[in-house]
Amino acid sequence: MLDDENAILAVATDATKGTVQGILEFPVDVTAGTADGTVIDNGYINRLRLPENVTISKDMEKALHDKTIGGKVIFISRNK
């Protein structure tokens, strides 16, 4: 994604499906073709403020914390 602005990204439900590049900030509807979205690849995400239906596995957190993806996402648990 960082090397190719036209890269086609795929959803990863675990960290074993290739290189994890970031987290979509909001759902993106691609049923009618390609669409733009905002990807968080560097910063902090508060686990306690994620929507109730969103879970991020420990493996995924570890993969997103890895600087080889080009950024670094750190998960915290504060102030619900």
Side-chain angles (χ1 to χ4, degrees), residues 2 5 9 11 13 16 20 25 27 30 32 36 46 48 54 56 60-62 64 66-67 69 77:
L2 297 175
E5 67 182 41
L9 305 179
V11 173
T13 55
T16 62
V20 177
E25 186 172 5
V30 294
D36 293 331
N46 188 345
L48 300 179
V54 174
I56 299 174
M60 190 65 77
E61 285 187 21
K62 184 177 178 182
L64 288 162
D66 184 354
K67 280 192 159 277
I69 67 169
S77 296

Side-chain angles (χ1 to χ4, degrees), residues 57-74:
S57 71
K58 293 294 179 187
D59 287 341
M60 190 65 77
E61 285 187 21
K62 184 177 178 182
L64 288 162
H65 190 75
D66 184 354
K67 280 192 159 277
T68 61
I69 67 169
K72 188 174 185 181
V73 178
I74 298 170

Side-chain angles (χ1 to χ4, degrees), residues 5-66:
E5 67 182 41
N6 294 313
I8 297 173
L9 305 179
V11 173
T13 55
D14 59 51
T16 62
K17 293 187 177 186
T19 304
V20 177
Q21 298 191 37
I23 297 176
L24 276 172
E25 186 172 5
F26 302 104
V28 177
D29 183 359
V30 294
T31 55
T34 60
D36 293 331
T38 300
V39 176
I40 299 169
D41 71 342
N42 197 357
Y44 295 87
I45 294 179
N46 188 345
R47 285 183 209 91
L48 300 179
R49 297 205 178 169
L50 290 171
E52 288 184 24
N53 61 339
V54 174
T55 57
I56 299 174
S57 71
K58 293 294 179 187
D59 287 341
M60 190 65 77
E61 285 187 21
K62 184 177 178 182
L64 288 162
H65 190 75
D66 184 354

